[in-house]
């Protein structure tokens, strides 16, 4: 039996029954949380248990990054000045077409490793640059090699059609690939890497394709995630028709959703649809203001995603902080407009933002009984934060410290399934320098290839 005891830490369990412990212990046995309480007595098991000093440490559940296109890791910062329209043209119809399977693999591997380094233990990898099964397999192998817990959301590329080819909006999601993945790499529905669908949805596909893809997800019991927003919808009224035939429910995940009307948003919330907000990118690229507050008013919490490392930093702490700050700003502005002054107290406490990147991410994935909180019986995915660091000390409100002040520099350790993936501030991975060099080689070639194509045109 593998046992680890984190002793005398500040524990933010995110389980309302356990609460916060200012001097608590966390016992891990065989990859799962065994106990969370003060003064755990190991009895005769002390000798076979790894004891970790948790003093001046904050322990939280592993973060859940609900939406990221990890295949763009090698293009970090390359698209920082692009609007959404430029991104469609220069990424999907441009750079994406130059990717080989090996480019997808190294980008996904290094991107996933960086997520672990930043405190993410579960990554929703929204992979929509997989024109061949080899590209798909390369992405899945990258996730598996990294050791991260991941939901691989299988998507489809969006290039400009060649003469005689249908537009991508007219192409149904490939059933054969879904069946292949469920019979091979991703057969274990409770495995470290599991399958979901990154479909086009009614905003980016014809109604026939949307109907096909929603039914495909329902048939195989998979989450169907889709972007909503960014220009006019391909199928106006598509959501209403999908709702009418009973295809919209808790297995549907909407990313962004900035342009949804209030009435439609309410209907989707009532049906149990989940929402993934990527706040900073939505504002930078032109999607619109995040719908965080609109969801909260309807009793629905969002999940939070990083979205694009080709534009933004990859740490989920930053994304959660931006979501919180942006919505507080909108609430303050609305209060000034309606009453002439700001609210008497803040409209959203910081703990809410921590829920968005832990328990809500687990709920979106349908895995709230396995991850998202430090609850006995759940998988041992957790993050240890060095609360004695200069930028965090002294700690008055641990939740505020985590949400408002913590950065990559403070992530001391990360555990996934009871296995340490980062210790003493160092990622536990072999050959990292070689992996970085392969990523650099890949990114140089991709940029050179697309520049050559541009010159030839």
């Amino acid at each position: 039996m593998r046992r680890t005891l984190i002793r005398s830490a500040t524990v933010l369990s995110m389980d309302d029954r356990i609460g916060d412990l200012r001097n608590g212990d966390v016992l891990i046995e065989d990859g799962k949380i065994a106990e969370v309480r003060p003064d755990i007595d190991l009895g005769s098991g002390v000798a076979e248990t790894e004891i970790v000093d948790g003093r001046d440490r904050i322990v939280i559940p592993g973060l859940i990054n609900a939406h990221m296109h990890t295949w763009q890791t090698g293009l970090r910062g390359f698209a920082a000045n692009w609007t959404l329209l430029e991104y469609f043209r220069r990424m999907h119809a441009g750079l994406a077409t130059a990717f080989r399977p090996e480019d997808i693999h190294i980008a996904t591997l290094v991107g996933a490793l960086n997520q672990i380094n930043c405190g993410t233990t579960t990554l929703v990898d929204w992979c929509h640059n997989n024109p061949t099964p080899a590209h798909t397999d390369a992405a899945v192998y990258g996730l598996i090699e990294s050791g991260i817990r991941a939901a691989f959301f299988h998507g489809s590329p969006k290039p400009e059609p060649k003469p005689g080819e249908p537009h991508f909006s007219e192409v149904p999601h490939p059933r054969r690939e879904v069946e292949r993945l469920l019979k091979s790499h991703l057969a274990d529905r409770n495995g470290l890497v599991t399958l979901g669908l990154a479909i086009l949805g009614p905003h980016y596909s014809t109604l026939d394709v949307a109907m096909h893809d929603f039914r495909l997800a329902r048939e195989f019991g998979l989450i169907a995630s889709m972007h909503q927003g960014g220009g006019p919808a391909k199928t106006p009224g598509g959501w209403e028709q999908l709702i009418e035939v009973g295809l919209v429910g808790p297995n549907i995940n909407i990313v962004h959703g900035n342009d949804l009307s209030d009435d439609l948003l309410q209907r989707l919330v009532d049906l149990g649809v989940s929402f993934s907000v990527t706040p900073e990118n939505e504002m930078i690229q032109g999607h619109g203001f995040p719908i965080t507050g609109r969801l909260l008013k309807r009793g629905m919490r969002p999940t939070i995603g990083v979205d694009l490392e080709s534009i933004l930093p990859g740490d989920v702490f930053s994304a959660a902080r931006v979501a919180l700050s942006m919505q507080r700003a909108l609430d303050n502005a609305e209060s000034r407009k309606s009453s002439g002054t700001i609210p008497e107290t803040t409209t959203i406490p910081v703990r809410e933002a921590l829920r968005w990147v832990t328990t809500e991410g687990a709920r979106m994935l349908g895995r709230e009984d396995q991850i998202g909180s430090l609850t006995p019986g759940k998988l041992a995915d957790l993050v240890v934060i060095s609360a004695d660091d200069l930028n965090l000390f002294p700690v008055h409100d641990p939740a505020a410290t985590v949400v408002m002040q913590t950065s990559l520099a403070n992530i001391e350790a990360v555990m996934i399934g009871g296995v340490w993936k980062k210790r003493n501030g160092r990622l536990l991975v072999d050959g990292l320098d070689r992996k970085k060099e392969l990523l650099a080689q890949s990114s140089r070639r991709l940029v050179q290839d697309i520049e050559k194509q541009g010159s030839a045109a």
Side-chain angles (χ1 to χ4, degrees):
M1 177 184 292
R2 291 185 294 110
R3 303 178 81 187
T4 301
L5 177 66
I6 303 174
R7 177 79 80 185
S8 303
T10 295
V11 180
L12 302 184
S13 71
M14 302 310 292
D15 182 323
D16 292 339
R17 295 165 298 180
I18 298 171
D20 297 347
L21 304 176
R22 277 290 194 163
N23 189 25
D25 298 350
V26 181
L27 179 64
I28 298 101
E29 293 181 348
D30 288 337
K32 293 186 176 182
I33 304 291
E35 292 186 72
V36 181
R37 61 179 177 82
D39 303 319
I40 293 175
D41 183 6
L42 293 172
S44 60
V46 173
E48 60 187 33
T49 304
E50 175 194 20
I51 308 295
V52 178
D53 186 357
R55 289 175 297 176
D56 298 321
R57 305 293 183 268
I58 301 173
V59 181
I60 64 171
L63 303 178
I64 300 173
N65 182 351
H67 184 77
M68 192 169 88
H69 305 297
T70 320
W71 61 271
Q72 295 183 28
T73 299
L75 300 171
R76 282 181 175 138
F78 194 82
N81 294 313
W82 295 356
T83 65
L84 187 59
L85 298 179
E86 288 176 293
Y87 172 77
F88 289 153
R89 184 178 74 254
R90 300 177 67 181
M91 184 64 74
H92 286 294
L95 278 162
T97 63
F99 272 72
R100 302 169 183 169
E102 56 266 33
D103 300 314
I104 296 288
H105 175 265
I106 193 61
T108 303
L109 171 58
V110 175
L113 288 173
N114 182 59
Q115 287 299 296
I116 296 172
N117 198 41
C118 292
T120 293
T121 56
T122 299
L123 168 64
V124 178
D125 179 24
W126 221 94
C127 185
H128 58 350
N129 188 19
N130 42 355
T132 71
H135 286 76
T136 293
D137 290 347
V140 173
Y141 293 152
L143 293 172
I144 293 172
E145 185 178 344
S146 75
I148 200 167
R149 194 176 308 284
F152 176 73
F153 280 18
H154 177 274
S156 55
K158 299 168 180 61
E160 291 297 327
K162 296 177 182 178
E165 291 182 344
H167 189 264
F168 66 79
S169 63
E170 301 169 0
V171 180
H173 206 84
R175 167 184 287 271
R176 181 176 298 178
E177 273 294 270
V178 175
E179 293 175 334
R180 182 181 72 86
L181 289 168
L182 286 175
K183 290 177 181 178
S184 56
H185 320 307
L186 306 180
D188 186 354
R189 296 294 183 110
N190 292 308
L192 195 64
V193 181
T194 56
L195 181 65
L197 300 186
I199 65 174
L200 294 168
H203 196 87
Y204 287 102
S205 74
T206 64
L207 181 61
D208 287 344
V209 166
M211 290 281 187
H212 169 276
D213 294 351
F214 274 58
R215 289 192 173 104
L216 185 69
R218 179 72 61 85
E219 177 184 346
F220 286 98
L222 298 172
I223 296 168
S225 179
M226 65 221 70
H227 294 116
Q228 172 66 38
K234 184 71 177 179
T235 304
W239 279 111
E240 288 79 2
Q241 295 180 72
L242 289 162
I243 291 171
E244 184 67 25
V245 297
L247 287 174
V248 180
N251 74 310
I252 300 301
N253 170 252
I254 293 176
V255 182
H256 308 314
N258 314 77
D259 61 347
L260 292 170
S261 69
D262 286 342
D263 288 344
L264 179 54
L265 182 62
Q266 185 65 60
R267 293 184 71 184
L268 294 168
V269 167
D270 291 343
L271 288 166
V273 171
S274 66
F275 296 83
S276 297
V277 171
T278 65
E280 194 167 8
N281 190 54
E282 290 170 15
M283 292 185 290
I284 285 175
Q285 282 200 305
H287 292 268
F289 289 115
I291 63 171
T292 308
R294 296 176 64 200
L295 290 172
L296 294 175
K297 287 178 180 178
R298 291 165 172 79
M300 170 68 73
R301 291 184 173 110
T303 64
I304 303 294
V306 165
D307 207 347
L308 299 168
E309 280 203 281
S310 55
I311 296 176
L312 301 162
D315 70 292
V316 179
F317 283 119
S318 292
R321 189 157 49 241
V322 169
L324 175 67
S325 299
M326 186 68 235
Q327 191 54 50
R328 282 180 173 181
L330 290 172
D331 292 345
N332 292 341
E334 179 61 30
S335 179
R336 284 183 185 276
K337 182 178 179 181
S338 61
S339 67
T341 185
I342 61 174
E344 291 186 3
T345 187
T346 187
T347 55
I348 309 174
V350 291
R351 185 176 296 274
E352 273 295 298
L354 191 54
R355 291 186 186 279
W356 304 340
V357 294
T358 54
T359 54
E360 288 307 302
R363 183 187 61 79
M364 182 270 275
L365 291 170
R367 303 191 72 175
E368 59 265 49
D369 61 336
Q370 297 176 311
I371 57 176
S373 67
L374 301 178
T375 300
K378 289 191 178 183
L379 296 166
D381 293 359
L382 56 83
V383 177
V384 180
I385 296 168
S386 178
D388 197 41
D389 287 349
L390 189 60
N391 65 310
L392 302 187
F393 181 86
V395 175
H396 298 284
D397 177 346
T401 295
V402 170
V403 173
M404 303 306 286
Q405 274 128 359
T406 298
S407 71
L408 167 60
N410 310 120
I411 306 300
E412 182 175 296
V414 178
M415 175 181 281
I416 299 176
V419 178
W420 293 112
K421 299 296 182 179
K422 183 177 183 178
R423 291 297 300 274
N424 301 315
R426 186 176 68 87
L427 197 62
L428 302 181
V429 59
D430 295 329
L432 186 57
D433 287 342
R434 176 58 180 162
K435 293 175 175 62
K436 288 168 63 179
E437 177 55 32
L438 289 173
L439 183 67
Q441 292 174 9
S442 168
S443 64
R444 286 194 296 267
R445 186 193 61 76
L446 287 167
V447 173
Q448 290 169 0
D449 280 1
I450 204 65
E451 287 176 345
K452 288 177 183 177
Q453 291 179 29
S455 300

